[in-house]
């Protein structure tokens, strides 16, 4: 049971607090992704789990055992680095075999284990080459191979796909998901790319400024973001926000006034807001549609036609707030024109002054 | 060259020597390299050829005449000269080995994450920065039997009964010269190794650490292979400099006592400049060139092998 528990963890570098009060419980065989903007502390958290950094306070428990003072090798983890960290002077075989050589395993054992890893990663015909002779994707596989041979309890990945081009990244995402299924191991993966997080994770930890904003399944994060930060971070293109004022609030409904022009009755639990409170109303670009009458008027600035969808960027309201709509690929819009956008009230999100979400009612989604 | 329709382009094409019917492109190319070629001829080739020519003469202050291979024959027959060659290689081997070992240790220490390492890095520099003559005079005092700190400390510790002149005895003079040469040469080797070590990605060490590799294993399996091309390069450069090292020995012992610290370069100087036997000195210089050439060829072969083993491709 390779569980990982992080309790009240904090980390400071000198006077700079990097992580505050992190509490996470990762289940056995789970694929958890840490995601967040640059500098949010996600890599530091991973390095702390690996044992490459010490905790300032708090506890790291692997399989229920406190490993705060354990050296990396004693924690039963393996790590894949962003730079791959392959030894340029060693062949692919010796790179993969490195941890086994450290353990002083017999040559036959080393050969068998490296062979097994190479066959999982389809590297059998590359074993005699040096890392410099491999493509980016192959190097990545070698790095993964080096972590597989140790049979670790937990795999740690530090932005392993960030050095690959977009097409290869897509392929490797699929391969890593397959690998997770094949190895059936606990994996913790760090990325700043929300697409990687959404597509690969069983659960996602969204980090911001050294704190956990939300820990949940990709669909929970998408449909029920707990904070405005998560709502804006998860989803592509980003969620649109407009400032509004609460005109009525009940446990079943919140009425808001947008720019004094439009009133929306939203199916949200309004027990944390009061009449007159300012809120940020959010709507995802893909939940907007063009209407003939009613809705918001948007001045279209830029259109990105991607074939299947058409992303329209523009401005709405008296404050000319930047807005974005993801429409059908053949949507009839032209740059410089005015269009009217609307959405089902159930699609709207709202966040109070502190950025906390008002609970959405009547939202159902599959978590798997 | 693309044709330019502009006024400037047309003018510059017309005035280009490449387009002139009087100067061929090949001649123009020679014209461009002529200054550098002339420089090399005057500074390198001519002295080398002149040395080579002199080695077949009995040139002295009074004049010279052709003697054929006599200078070489005399040298190769001399047992003393054989000893000098052996001593020179021993001197080179000992000094270079110590410089490389101390350089590696020093660079590893300076590369370690210790507080105040910037200060230590500066403190390594003086032996290299101080003029060799000044440094050697300092070492002359250290080696002095009557007021030198080494002899004094040895007496205080009871290791020796009376004053010991390090430079007055054959063995101790030779090894004292080696120590001083190592003192002069180690900082540069250290700094080159340090620069190479700092170029090794931190991720490699962390990956090895995660895999359970200890300090010594990481040093052996990562640091050494990663800086191996620099080690080999420094080995050659240091070997050539040590082979040709003159000031240290000359200031400390002038090659003595009784030729105990005479290397080929000191022997050549004594013969050509001290005894005015330019012809015989030139023959020694030619032998030095031949020996160093053979050494360099072996090195290039070795470097090629090292790059194949430790290179990334």
């Amino acid at each position: 049971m390779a569980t990982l528990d992080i309790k009240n963890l904090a980390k400071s570098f000198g006077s700079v607090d990097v992580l505050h009060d992190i509490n996470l419980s990762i289940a056995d065989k789970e694929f958890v992704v840490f995601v967040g903007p640059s500098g949010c502390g996600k890599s530091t958290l991973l390095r702390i789990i690996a044992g490459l950094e010490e905790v300032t306070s708090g506890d790291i428990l692997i399989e229920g055992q406190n490993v705060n003072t354990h050296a990396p090798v004693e924690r039963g983890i393996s790590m894949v680095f962003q730079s791959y960290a392959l030894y340029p002077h060693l062949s692919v075989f010796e790179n993969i075999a490195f941890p086994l050589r450290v353990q002083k395993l017999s040559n036959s054992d080393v050969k068998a284990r490296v062979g097994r890893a190479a066959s999982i990663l389809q590297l059998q015909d590359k074993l005699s080459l040096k890392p410099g002779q491999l493509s980016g994707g192959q190097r990545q596989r070698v790095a993964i191979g080096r972590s597989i041979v140790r049979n670790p309890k937990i795999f740690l990945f530090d932005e392993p796909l960030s050095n690959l081009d977009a097409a290869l990244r897509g392929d490797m995402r699929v391969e890593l998901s397959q690998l997770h299924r094949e190895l059936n191991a606990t994996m913790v993966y760090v990325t700043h790319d929300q697409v990687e997080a959404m597509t690969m994770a069983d659960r996602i930890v969204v980090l911001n400024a050294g704190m956990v904003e939300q820990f949940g399944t990709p669909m929970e994060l998408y449909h029920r973001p707990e904070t405005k930060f998560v709502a804006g971070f998860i989803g592509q293109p980003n969620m649109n926000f407009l400032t509004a004022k609460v005109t009525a609030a009940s446990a079943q409904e919140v009425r808001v006034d947008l720019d004094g022009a439009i009133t929306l009755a939203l199916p949200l639990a309004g027990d944390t807001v009061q009449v007159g409170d300012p809120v940020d109303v959010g709507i995802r670009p893909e939940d907007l549609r063009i209407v003939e009458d009613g809705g918001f008027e948007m001045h279209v600035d830029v259109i990105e036609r991607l074939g299947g969808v058409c992303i329209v960027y523009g401005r709405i309201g008296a404050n000319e707030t930047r807005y974005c709509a993801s429409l059908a690929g053949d949507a009839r819009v032209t740059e410089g024109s005015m269009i009217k956008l609307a959405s089902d009230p159930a699609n709207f999100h709202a966040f109070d002054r502190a950025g906390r979400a008002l609970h959405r009612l009547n939202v159902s989604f599959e978590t798997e | 060259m693309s044709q330019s329709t502009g006024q400037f382009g047309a003018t510059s094409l017309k005035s280009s020597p490449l387009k002139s019917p009087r100067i061929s492109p090949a001649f123009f190319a020679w014209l461009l390299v002529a200054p550098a070629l002339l420089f090399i001829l005057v500074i390198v080739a001519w002295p080398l050829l002149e040395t080579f020519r002199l080695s077949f003469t009995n040139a002295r202050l009074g004049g010279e005449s052709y003697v054929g291979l006599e200078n070489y024959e005399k040298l190769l027959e001399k047992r003393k000269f054989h000893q000098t060659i052996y001593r020179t290689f021993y001197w080179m081997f000992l000094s270079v080995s110590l410089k490389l070992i101390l350089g590696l240790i020093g660079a590893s220490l300076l590369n370690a994450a210790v507080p105040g390492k910037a200060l230590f890095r500066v403190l390594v520099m003086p032996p290299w920065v101080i003029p060799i003559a000044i440094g050697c005079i300092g070492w002359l005092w250290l080696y002095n039997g009557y007021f030198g700190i080494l002899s004094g400390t040895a007496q205080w510790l009871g290791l020796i009964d009376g004053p010991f002149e390090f430079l007055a005895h054959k063995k101790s003079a030779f090894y004292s010269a080696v120590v001083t040469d190592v003192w002069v040469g180690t900082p540069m080797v250290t700094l080159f190794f340090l620069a190479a070590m700092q170029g090794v990605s931190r991720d490699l060490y962390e990956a090895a650490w995660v895999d359970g590799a200890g300090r010594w294993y990481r040093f052996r399996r990562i640091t050494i292979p990663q800086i191996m091309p620099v080690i080999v390069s420094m080995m050659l450069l240091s070997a050539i400099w040590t082979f040709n090292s003159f000031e240290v020995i000359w200031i400390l012992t002038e090659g003595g006592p009784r030729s105990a610290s005479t290397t080929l370069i000191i022997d050549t100087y004594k013969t050509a400049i001290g005894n005015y036997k330019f012809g015989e000195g030139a023959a020694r210089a030619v032998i030095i060139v031949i020996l160093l050439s053979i050494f360099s060829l072996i090195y290039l072969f070795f470097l090629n092998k090292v790059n194949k083993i430790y290179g990334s491709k």
Side-chain angles (χ1 to χ4, degrees):
Chain A
M1 288 287 283
T3 56
L4 171 65
D5 294 288
I6 299 170
K7 290 184 178 169
N8 308 319
L9 185 140
K11 174 70 183 172
S12 308
F13 290 108
S15 59
V16 182
D17 296 331
V18 182
L19 293 168
H20 328 257
D21 197 27
I22 307 284
N23 286 287
L24 295 171
S25 197
I26 296 170
D28 182 37
K29 295 168 189 166
E30 200 173 15
F31 195 132
V32 171
V33 175
F34 295 171
V35 70
S38 297
C40 70
K42 54 191 186 296
S43 284
T44 305
L45 182 55
L46 192 81
R47 289 170 61 79
I48 289 172
I49 296 169
L52 294 172
E53 302 282 354
E54 287 178 10
V55 298
T56 303
S57 64
D59 296 305
I60 304 275
L61 290 90
I62 293 176
E63 290 182 326
Q65 191 190 359
N66 191 314
V67 294
N68 278 13
T69 54
H70 289 200
V73 69
E74 294 163 356
R75 296 182 181 209
I77 53 98
S78 72
M79 185 157 167
V80 176
F81 290 76
Q82 184 177 358
S83 65
Y84 318 137
L86 299 181
Y87 309 112
H89 56 285
L90 298 180
S91 65
V92 168
F93 182 96
E94 285 302 327
N95 262 285
I96 297 175
F98 192 90
L100 309 176
R101 300 278 188 217
V102 175
Q103 291 171 24
K104 293 181 179 163
L105 292 193
S106 69
N107 272 338
S108 56
D109 274 358
V110 170
K111 219 171 169 183
R113 285 223 220 169
V114 173
R116 208 175 315 136
S119 78
I120 292 172
L121 298 161
Q122 293 163 3
L123 285 167
Q124 296 100 319
D125 56 339
K126 309 283 181 210
L127 290 174
S128 60
L129 300 180
K130 294 267 181 80
Q133 295 169 292
L134 303 177
S135 68
Q138 289 165 342
R139 282 183 213 180
Q140 189 55 261
R141 283 201 211 124
V142 177
I144 294 168
R146 192 171 59 194
S147 62
I148 287 177
V149 288
R150 284 184 53 206
N151 296 330
K153 294 173 193 165
I154 300 173
F155 285 86
L156 306 176
F157 295 90
D158 188 7
E159 305 208 30
L161 307 187
S162 59
N163 290 345
L164 305 179
D165 62 51
L168 198 52
R169 228 171 15 229
D171 293 343
M172 287 301 290
R173 277 205 305 265
V174 177
E175 285 189 25
L176 278 171
S177 296
Q178 282 171 346
L179 188 74
H180 177 235
R181 269 197 296 278
E182 271 178 54
L183 299 176
N184 217 3
T186 308
M187 291 186 173
V188 181
Y189 186 104
V190 162
T191 180
H192 63 270
D193 182 349
Q194 52 141 316
V195 178
E196 279 176 32
M198 293 294 282
T199 52
M200 292 159 65
D202 293 326
R203 284 197 293 168
I204 298 173
V205 179
V206 181
L207 286 154
N208 180 34
M211 289 194 287
V212 175
E213 290 273 342
Q214 191 170 348
F215 184 22
T217 66
M219 288 302 103
E220 277 170 4
L221 265 57
Y222 181 82
H223 291 290
R224 279 219 172 92
E226 286 172 4
T227 63
K228 187 184 169 191
F229 177 84
V230 174
F233 193 81
I234 300 291
Q236 193 68 34
N238 295 347
M239 184 184 277
N240 297 298
F241 294 104
L242 267 184
T243 307
K245 197 166 265 182
V246 176
T247 55
S250 71
Q252 300 301 318
E253 187 181 84
V254 174
R255 282 176 179 270
V256 293
D257 179 50
L258 289 162
D259 267 355
I262 298 169
T263 300
L264 292 172
L266 307 176
L268 303 168
D271 29 20
T272 57
V273 287
Q274 291 177 341
V275 174
D277 280 357
V279 286
D280 288 310
V281 173
I283 180 80
R284 295 203 181 276
E286 54 271 32
D287 289 334
L288 290 166
R289 63 179 194 279
I290 294 181
V291 289
E292 294 295 324
D293 296 309
F296 320 83
E297 276 206 324
M298 181 169 92
H299 179 267
V300 178
D301 289 326
V302 175
I303 300 170
E304 287 177 352
R305 291 196 184 275
L306 303 177
V309 291
C310 169
I311 315 279
V312 180
Y313 297 92
R315 287 162 284 149
I316 70 161
N319 294 332
E320 301 207 320
T321 309
R322 288 214 160 271
Y323 236 61
C324 171
S326 179
L327 307 172
D330 56 356
R332 286 188 187 174
V333 281
T334 52
E335 285 177 354
S337 67
M338 296 293 283
I339 54 171
K340 286 180 175 173
L341 297 169
S343 184
D344 187 321
N347 291 329
F348 283 88
H349 301 247
F351 305 90
D352 65 15
R353 239 181 193 167
R356 285 187 301 266
L358 276 61
H359 186 71
R360 296 177 80 203
L361 306 168
N362 312 325
V363 178
S364 63
F365 53 88
E366 293 289 329
T367 53
E368 283 297 314
Chain B
M1 186 182 285
S2 63
Q3 287 286 336
S4 170
T5 51
Q7 188 63 40
F8 181 76
T11 314
S12 59
L13 268 178
K14 265 183 198 166
S15 62
S16 163
L18 286 171
K19 289 282 166 187
S20 167
R22 280 170 294 175
I23 303 175
S24 72
F27 182 74
F28 183 62
W30 278 109
L31 212 64
L32 288 176
V33 295
L37 211 60
L38 194 72
F39 184 78
I40 290 170
L41 279 173
V42 172
I43 302 293
V44 181
W46 181 75
L48 209 66
L49 289 171
E50 183 60 12
T51 305
F52 193 64
R53 186 191 67 77
L54 273 177
S55 71
F56 297 106
T57 69
N58 62 354
R60 284 168 170 269
L61 277 179
E64 62 175 63
S65 59
Y66 179 74
V67 293
L69 292 169
E70 194 186 306
N71 290 332
Y72 293 100
E73 283 165 2
K74 265 204 284 187
L75 271 179
L76 295 175
E77 281 166 12
K78 261 190 188 169
R79 198 169 153 264
K80 207 175 167 189
F81 185 70
H82 296 168
Q83 285 172 343
T84 306
I85 291 179
Y86 168 77
R87 190 183 303 116
T88 305
F89 276 99
Y90 182 51
W91 152 269
M92 185 174 82
F93 170 78
L94 209 60
S95 178
V96 171
S97 304
L98 286 171
K99 283 174 196 171
L100 293 178
I101 292 167
L102 292 176
L104 263 180
I105 295 170
S108 303
L109 294 174
L110 292 175
N111 197 34
V114 289
K117 64 179 175 185
L119 180 70
F120 289 124
R121 284 178 192 175
V122 173
L123 290 175
V124 173
M125 304 284 280
W128 189 23
V129 176
I130 293 170
I132 294 177
I134 307 283
C136 289
I137 288 168
W139 279 97
L140 271 178
W141 292 341
L142 290 176
Y143 291 140
N144 189 288
Y146 292 92
F147 52 82
I149 194 166
L150 294 177
S151 175
T153 309
Q155 286 179 74
W156 181 70
L157 291 172
L159 298 174
I160 49 176
D161 297 332
F164 183 80
E165 280 285 0
F166 284 87
L167 301 175
H169 305 271
K170 282 178 93 173
K171 270 195 176 169
S172 63
F174 177 81
Y175 290 113
S176 298
V178 169
V179 168
T180 306
D181 192 61
V182 169
W183 178 80
V184 171
T186 302
M188 197 200 64
V189 176
T190 306
L191 292 180
F192 269 76
F193 286 168
L194 178 62
M197 283 178 188
Q198 287 178 332
V200 181
S201 165
R202 204 180 133 191
D203 281 355
L204 296 186
Y205 292 112
E206 288 189 340
W209 189 25
V210 167
D211 288 338
R215 269 178 205 281
W216 174 240
Y217 196 89
R218 295 200 294 269
F219 182 75
R220 209 160 46 84
R221 292 290 307 267
I222 300 172
T223 308
I224 293 289
Q226 285 290 292
I227 69 166
M228 190 49 97
V230 177
I231 293 178
V232 176
S233 298
M234 283 315 295
M235 205 185 281
L236 174 80
L237 289 175
S238 191
I240 291 174
W241 292 330
T242 308
F243 195 100
N244 288 330
S245 171
F246 177 80
E247 300 101 314
V248 171
I249 300 175
W250 192 253
I251 293 168
L252 290 181
T253 63
E254 292 186 10
R258 280 174 291 149
S259 300
S261 57
T262 294
T263 58
L264 275 173
I265 205 82
I266 298 285
D267 187 36
T268 305
Y269 177 82
K270 276 182 177 172
T271 310
I273 310 297
N275 300 330
Y276 306 112
K277 293 176 180 173
F278 305 127
E280 287 182 29
R284 285 167 166 80
V286 169
I287 287 173
I288 290 175
V289 170
I290 292 167
L291 288 173
L292 282 181
S293 300
I294 294 169
F295 185 80
S296 300
L297 282 174
I298 295 169
Y299 156 79
L300 286 175
F301 173 77
F302 192 49
L303 182 66
N304 201 20
K305 288 254 177 209
V306 164
N307 280 337
K308 264 188 191 160
I309 298 167
Y310 296 107
S312 57
K313 287 189 178 176

